[in-house]
Amino acid sequence: MTSGTGVGVVEPQRARFDAPLRLRSGQTLPGFELAYETYGTLNAARSNAILVCHALSGHQHVAGVHADAPNNLGWWDNIVGPGRPLDTDRFFVVGVNNLGGCHGSTGPASLNPATDAPWGRDFPIVTVEDWIEAQARLADRLGVSQWAATIGGSLGGMQAMQWTIEHPGRVRHALVIAAAPKLSAENIAFNEVARQAILSDPDYAAGKRPERGLRLARMLGHITYLSDDQMADKFGRRLRHGEYKYGFGVEFEVESYLRHQGDKFAGWFDADTYLRMTKALDYYDPAAACGGDLAAALAKAEAKFLVVSFTTDWRFSPERSREIVNALVKNHQNVAYAEIESQHGHDSFLMENAHYHRVVANYLANVKT
Amino acid sequence: MTSGTGVGVVEPQRARFDAPLRLRSGQTLPGFELAYETYGTLNAARSNAILVCHALSGHQHVAGVHADAPNNLGWWDNIVGPGRPLDTDRFFVVGVNNLGGCHGSTGPASLNPATDAPWGRDFPIVTVEDWIEAQARLADRLGVSQWAATIGGSLGGMQAMQWTIEHPGRVRHALVIAAAPKLSAENIAFNEVARQAILSDPDYAAGKRPERGLRLARMLGHITYLSDDQMADKFGRRLRHGEYKYGFGVEFEVESYLRHQGDKFAGWFDADTYLRMTKALDYYDPAAACGGDLAAALAKAEAKFLVVSFTTDWRFSPERSREIVNALVKNHQNVAYAEIESQHGHDSFLMENAHYHRVVANYLANVKT
């Protein structure tokens, strides 16, 4: 289990950037804000900073709690803190909400300066590359010219990797966890069903919050985050009422779990953010610029890599992580790879798993600050 | 490729059964009709009949064409006909639409005699066991006291198997293809998302056709019918417009495919039937009555079995078929098992695959009529 008290109470922070940001889509964002948090202390050499990149529904609140919400622990608190793998006694850890997000960074809920109304569905499509550029401005603001490491799971891992391509000189280590070098057709297909659930919700067309669509998107998402094995262990065919009721209420516990997860998510997440996060995933494909050659795309990276996958992850299976490893090996680049035995499917990267955390801790213990 | 001309023009048929049918749910259906078709000729001994059971969205039109719809080939035409694996020169093949269906058998679109209005969502929940009872009445009507074989894929395979448990003396062979002895939690979860898509469609609540929900359900279904590999081969990341458009229109060909499949299905399939077919899948679990012991549940079967699975089927993987095989082996029952190399995922059972068809043909060639 996680030991120690963690980072404790942390302060939400914001940074405003006034220079326009030209996006991959061709649109330009006229300035923006990023919501972020930091844990630990930036050393005098400014050489101990780690950037934590978030996944689809993540945000800047990575660790600790806020004074006004003492129970709302950061989403990766189990790995960040004094003595934890991202050891805040050694490292200055930065969490940031990505552009297009719904946790305080400029996104669909922000005011469009051209109209003084919320952007809503007019907010531009943003990409992993756009996020790196925004994060780079935050690094400049913090005085971090080079990250000791970039790290993330899933879509966050894609950002950790893309940093090494966009800004080779600004990353010493990239920890790419439960990620893939691009989505497969099946990955895109799942995203597309989730998007269509939102886009076809009549409330979305009516300019209202599409709770039905968000609920379905999240229910479907959860199936792909868990593993078949884990669902079998956690729910199996366990019945809510001990016997079949022959109706459309909850019969099986797994139905109850999914409905609950869907309802919860639909109550707070922004649909326009969700739509954009899934598009960023779909578009990500660094090899495309090199004719599909991932090794060529990664050749310019100067970072050392730790790639981690999980045995039961079927959203981004170990095979997908090995594509990244193989490309780096082909280039004679420095890469360590761990395939972690875990029952928790894609969600494993969020879970406390002694082997996994030891691998990350040992890797970072050897990162000079 | 399929050789010969197949069964040609076939005649839709209907049978009316006036005796009430007590359903597993406890409800009673006051008489019912079954839509069916037959191919080939019942021999004098009435010993050459094969029952084809359909899957989730299937029906009685298994082979050939109707005079008024010369292009609407039956869904399993490639396996049924003179010289085909279900050889209509030897066998009398019967296709039937299950109770609760939307192809002519009594279902949600039928008139409820108690109200003289369509049943709609008041139509009872039906189970695999209920279907067997209805099919048994059809067998009686046709003068078939014992099937030479029952056969089906997916949910159809569950029926083929359940016949051997419900009426051991009435089945000599069961061909159980791409099936499972029960749904896993993940299987149920996918069904639940599909149902929630329909049930939460405001048109459903308004008593209208929930096309949005049906569309989403079908899009999701298609992902689970195909394999990751096949989607990669068929679509990969191929773009509709050759470049990213950074919008919510079709970007990737796989999105176009899914939307097309969803739209097509939403235009004709009955939502209340869809809801009930997925529930029949969820409920099916013959081992439950024997404390979870599948071998005990199958012990009473007198049939011989052919069990077939497909390597890339992840809806009902080969492992699930082997559960059936292992239970039969444990009982020293007669079972042959083939695991077919196929790229087509769960849909493989519908595809023309020389090895698969040869296995079925060879098995049936040894079935006495």
Side-chain angles (χ1 to χ4, degrees):
Chain A
M1 283 298 295
T2 304
S3 60
T5 56
V7 298
V9 174
V10 298
E11 201 66 44
Q13 301 186 64
R14 307 175 68 78
R16 165 93 210 151
F17 303 90
D18 288 321
L21 180 69
R22 170 96 176 161
L23 305 170
R24 284 287 165 122
S25 67
Q27 284 193 263
T28 296
L29 207 54
F32 59 91
E33 288 193 340
L34 291 181
Y36 70 100
E37 295 184 6
T38 68
Y39 322 101
T41 308
L42 187 61
N43 62 12
R46 299 174 180 277
S47 61
N48 70 332
I50 294 181
L51 176 67
V52 175
C53 305
H54 71 74
L56 201 134
S57 59
H59 45 67
Q60 73 278 17
H61 183 39
V62 175
V65 296
H66 297 154
D68 60 355
N71 295 316
N72 182 22
L73 210 58
W75 58 268
W76 221 3
D77 187 83
N78 63 26
I79 209 170
V80 176
R84 295 186 187 167
L86 276 69
D87 187 347
T88 49
D89 289 338
R90 289 189 65 224
F91 292 107
F92 174 66
V93 178
V94 179
V96 58
N97 186 214
N98 280 324
L99 281 179
C102 55
H103 289 83
S105 290
T106 296
S110 309
L111 290 185
N112 177 351
T115 65
D116 267 341
W119 283 97
R121 65 198 64 183
D122 292 332
F123 193 81
I125 297 273
V126 282
T127 64
V128 167
E129 292 83 352
D130 297 330
W131 291 338
I132 306 300
E133 285 320 299
Q135 291 161 2
R137 292 203 193 170
L138 179 63
D140 294 342
R141 182 71 54 89
L142 295 171
V144 174
S145 60
Q146 186 186 57
W147 299 106
T150 55
I151 181 172
S154 191
L155 177 55
M158 292 169 166
Q159 295 163 60
M161 176 162 71
Q162 189 61 23
W163 257 98
T164 73
I165 298 174
E166 298 283 325
H167 297 292
R170 298 191 71 172
V171 197
R172 293 206 302 284
H173 298 270
L175 285 75
V176 181
I177 303 174
K182 64 185 175 199
L183 295 203
S184 69
E186 188 185 86
N187 293 148
I188 296 170
F190 278 120
N191 278 347
E192 172 66 2
V193 177
R195 279 191 297 266
Q196 290 299 314
I198 291 169
L199 294 168
S200 72
D201 183 332
D203 281 344
Y204 189 75
K208 288 187 281 183
R209 191 175 167 70
E211 296 208 357
R212 295 180 202 92
L214 276 166
R215 179 172 177 265
L216 293 170
R218 187 62 164 185
M219 291 176 77
L220 177 54
H222 263 278
I223 301 178
T224 70
Y225 305 152
L226 305 180
S227 73
D228 191 15
D229 277 5
Q230 184 193 8
M231 288 184 109
D233 272 20
K234 193 166 175 175
F235 307 108
R237 296 179 52 86
R238 209 163 61 249
L239 296 170
R240 164 55 66 91
H241 305 288
E243 59 176 13
Y244 292 162
K245 291 293 179 186
Y246 298 104
F248 295 104
V250 167
E251 291 268 16
F252 294 93
E253 287 292 353
V254 67
E255 297 172 307
S256 169
Y257 170 81
L258 288 179
R259 291 185 193 186
H260 175 71
Q261 294 296 333
D263 288 340
K264 228 173 46 174
F265 191 72
W268 69 274
F269 205 84
D270 184 89
D272 287 303
T273 291
Y274 196 88
L275 291 171
R276 278 156 187 78
M277 295 288 160
T278 63
K279 288 302 272 187
L281 272 164
D282 286 7
Y283 289 134
Y284 186 64
D285 184 6
C290 300
D293 183 345
L294 183 62
L298 284 164
K300 64 179 79 153
E302 299 170 17
K304 296 177 179 176
F305 287 80
L306 172 64
V307 177
V308 178
S309 69
F310 299 94
T311 49
T312 56
D313 184 351
W314 65 278
R315 186 176 177 90
F316 298 143
S317 70
E319 195 183 344
R320 314 294 304 281
S321 283
R322 285 197 296 266
E323 291 174 30
I324 300 169
V325 174
N326 291 341
L328 292 165
V329 167
K330 189 177 168 200
N331 291 339
H332 305 289
Q333 286 166 291
N334 193 316
V335 54
Y337 173 58
E339 191 171 314
I340 307 286
E341 196 83 44
S342 165
Q343 201 206 15
H344 295 285
H346 188 58
D347 267 354
S348 297
F349 83 88
L350 296 167
M351 301 292 169
E352 203 162 331
N353 171 312
H355 181 198
Y356 162 43
H357 277 196
R358 206 160 52 234
V359 164
V360 174
N362 289 349
Y363 187 90
L364 288 176
N366 290 308
V367 168
K368 291 202 185 67
T369 61
Chain B
M1 285 297 296
T2 305
S3 61
T5 56
V7 299
V9 173
V10 298
E11 201 67 45
Q13 301 185 64
R14 307 175 67 78
R16 166 93 210 152
F17 302 90
D18 288 320
L21 180 68
R22 167 98 175 158
L23 304 170
R24 283 288 164 122
S25 67
Q27 283 193 264
T28 296
L29 206 56
F32 59 91
E33 287 194 340
L34 291 180
Y36 69 101
E37 295 185 5
T38 69
Y39 322 101
T41 308
L42 187 61
N43 63 11
R46 299 174 179 276
S47 61
N48 70 333
I50 294 181
L51 175 68
V52 175
C53 303
H54 71 73
L56 200 134
S57 59
H59 44 68
Q60 73 279 17
H61 183 40
V62 175
V65 296
H66 297 154
D68 59 356
N71 296 316
N72 182 22
L73 209 58
W75 57 269
W76 222 2
D77 188 83
N78 63 26
I79 210 171
V80 176
R84 296 186 187 169
L86 276 68
D87 187 347
T88 50
D89 288 339
R90 287 189 66 223
F91 292 107
F92 174 67
V93 178
V94 179
V96 59
N97 185 215
N98 280 325
L99 281 180
C102 55
H103 289 85
S105 290
T106 296
S110 308
L111 290 185
N112 176 352
T115 64
D116 267 341
W119 283 96
R121 64 198 65 182
D122 292 332
F123 194 81
I125 298 274
V126 281
T127 64
V128 167
E129 291 83 351
D130 297 329
W131 291 339
I132 305 302
E133 285 321 298
Q135 291 162 2
R137 292 203 194 168
L138 178 64
D140 294 342
R141 182 73 52 88
L142 294 171
V144 174
S145 59
Q146 184 185 60
W147 299 106
T150 55
I151 181 173
S154 191
L155 177 55
M158 291 168 167
Q159 295 163 61
M161 176 163 70
Q162 190 60 22
W163 257 99
T164 71
I165 297 174
E166 298 282 325
H167 298 290
R170 297 191 71 171
V171 198
R172 293 205 301 284
H173 298 269
L175 285 74
V176 181
I177 302 174
K182 64 185 175 201
L183 295 203
S184 68
E186 189 184 86
N187 293 148
I188 294 170
F190 278 119
N191 278 347
E192 172 65 2
V193 177
R195 279 191 296 266
Q196 290 299 314
I198 292 169
L199 293 168
S200 71
D201 183 332
D203 281 345
Y204 189 75
K208 288 187 282 185
R209 189 174 170 71
E211 296 208 356
R212 296 180 201 91
L214 277 166
R215 178 172 177 265
L216 293 170
R218 188 60 165 186
M219 290 176 77
L220 177 55
H222 263 277
I223 301 178
T224 69
Y225 305 151
L226 304 180
S227 73
D228 190 17
D229 278 4
Q230 184 194 9
M231 288 185 111
D233 272 20
K234 193 167 174 174
F235 307 109
R237 295 179 53 86
R238 209 164 59 249
L239 297 169
R240 164 55 65 93
H241 305 289
E243 58 177 13
Y244 291 163
K245 291 293 179 188
Y246 298 104
F248 295 104
V250 166
E251 292 268 15
F252 294 93
E253 288 292 352
V254 66
E255 296 172 309
S256 169
Y257 170 82
L258 288 179
R259 291 184 193 187
H260 176 70
Q261 294 296 334
D263 288 340
K264 228 172 46 175
F265 191 71
W268 70 273
F269 206 85
D270 183 90
D272 287 304
T273 290
Y274 196 87
L275 291 171
R276 280 157 186 75
M277 295 288 160
T278 63
K279 289 301 271 186
L281 271 164
D282 286 7
Y283 289 134
Y284 186 64
D285 183 7
C290 301
D293 182 346
L294 183 61
L298 283 163
K300 64 179 80 152
E302 298 170 17
K304 297 177 179 176
F305 287 79
L306 172 64
V307 177
V308 178
S309 69
F310 300 94
T311 50
T312 57
D313 184 352
W314 64 279
R315 188 179 175 89
F316 298 143
S317 69
E319 195 181 346
R320 315 294 305 280
S321 282
R322 285 197 296 265
E323 291 174 30
I324 300 169
V325 173
N326 291 340
L328 292 165
V329 167
K330 189 177 168 198
N331 291 337
H332 305 288
Q333 285 167 292
N334 193 316
V335 54
Y337 174 57
E339 191 171 313
I340 307 285
E341 195 84 43
S342 165
Q343 202 207 13
H344 295 284
H346 189 58
D347 268 355
S348 297
F349 83 86
L350 296 166
M351 301 293 167
E352 202 161 333
N353 171 312
H355 181 197
Y356 161 43
H357 277 195
R358 207 161 52 235
V359 164
V360 173
N362 288 349
Y363 186 91
L364 288 176
N366 290 307
V367 167
K368 291 201 183 68
T369 61

